[in-house]
Structures are given as C-alpha cells and as structure tokens.
Amino acid sequence: MKNIYTILKGPCLTEKANLQQEFGNKVVFKVHPDANKIEIRKAVEAMFKVKVRDIKTVSMPGKQKRVGKYLGRTQDWKKAYVTLSEGEINFVDEL
C-alpha cells in the first residue's frame, strides 16, 4: 500500500465541491492517478478520523495550454468524491 500522504494530494476547493460538502455530506479530494477506491478509503479514514460510506472517482484529462507559440498540456489528474457517513471535515476555519 502507498503512503496515505501520497494518495491524498489535497482538497478540491471549488464552488461545486463546497455545495456538495454543505448539502450532500460529500468531500472532494485530488488523489494520485494510480490510487484505487480501497486505498482512498483507508487514507481518508486514517487521516481525518471519519467513517466513509461511498467513493466515486473521476479521471480528469489535462488541458491544452499555450504560451506564445509553444503548446503544452497540463497533467492528467484524478479526483475522488467521498461520501461521509459519520464525522465532518472542515478545510477552512471560519473567522
């Protein structure tokens, strides 16, 4: 098994992810492209001390970028929608 800190790269903090966290009890993470659902579940439960109900994963293709006359691509990445059954994860502390 991979290290839990290499499986979870970080939270995906977008408007859609924030709405799902507030109303759907879901948290969205950027994860390692080779990580499977079992590894993601173990990493989230170990790191945040919560109970995971379900995981959906999506492979996101990289976008084509251009700087002047040079073309390139960003890396492909993977995100995981984690549904929590017990517990809560807060990424941003309110002031």
Side-chain angles (χ1 to χ4, degrees):
M1 183 175 141
K2 301 174 191 76
N3 186 0
I4 63 172
Y5 299 106
T6 59
I7 292 173
L8 296 178
K9 291 188 172 184
C12 187
L13 300 175
T14 60
E15 286 186 34
K16 181 180 175 180
N18 289 336
L19 287 174
Q20 288 191 351
Q21 186 173 2
E22 289 179 20
F23 300 115
N25 203 21
K26 292 183 181 180
V27 184
V28 184
F29 289 101
K30 292 180 182 178
V31 296
H32 193 275
D34 295 334
N36 58 28
K37 291 182 181 183
I38 297 168
E39 294 171 340
I40 295 169
R41 176 186 301 269
K42 289 180 182 178
V44 170
E45 288 179 348
M47 191 178 290
F48 296 105
K49 308 288 190 277
V50 294
K51 190 75 175 166
V52 174
R53 182 185 324 152
D54 190 31
I55 296 176
K56 307 280 189 218
T57 57
V58 180
S59 294
M60 304 296 293
K63 295 181 179 179
Q64 189 175 34
K65 299 289 183 175
R66 185 174 131 172
V67 178
K69 65 177 183 176
Y70 301 105
L71 286 175
R73 289 186 60 84
T74 60
Q75 285 187 340
D76 296 341
W77 57 288
K78 190 177 199 178
K79 66 180 171 179
Y81 292 91
V82 179
T83 305
L84 303 176
S85 60
E86 294 177 9
E88 183 177 296
I89 300 174
N90 288 328
F91 295 116
V92 180
D93 295 328
E94 296 184 26
L95 299 175

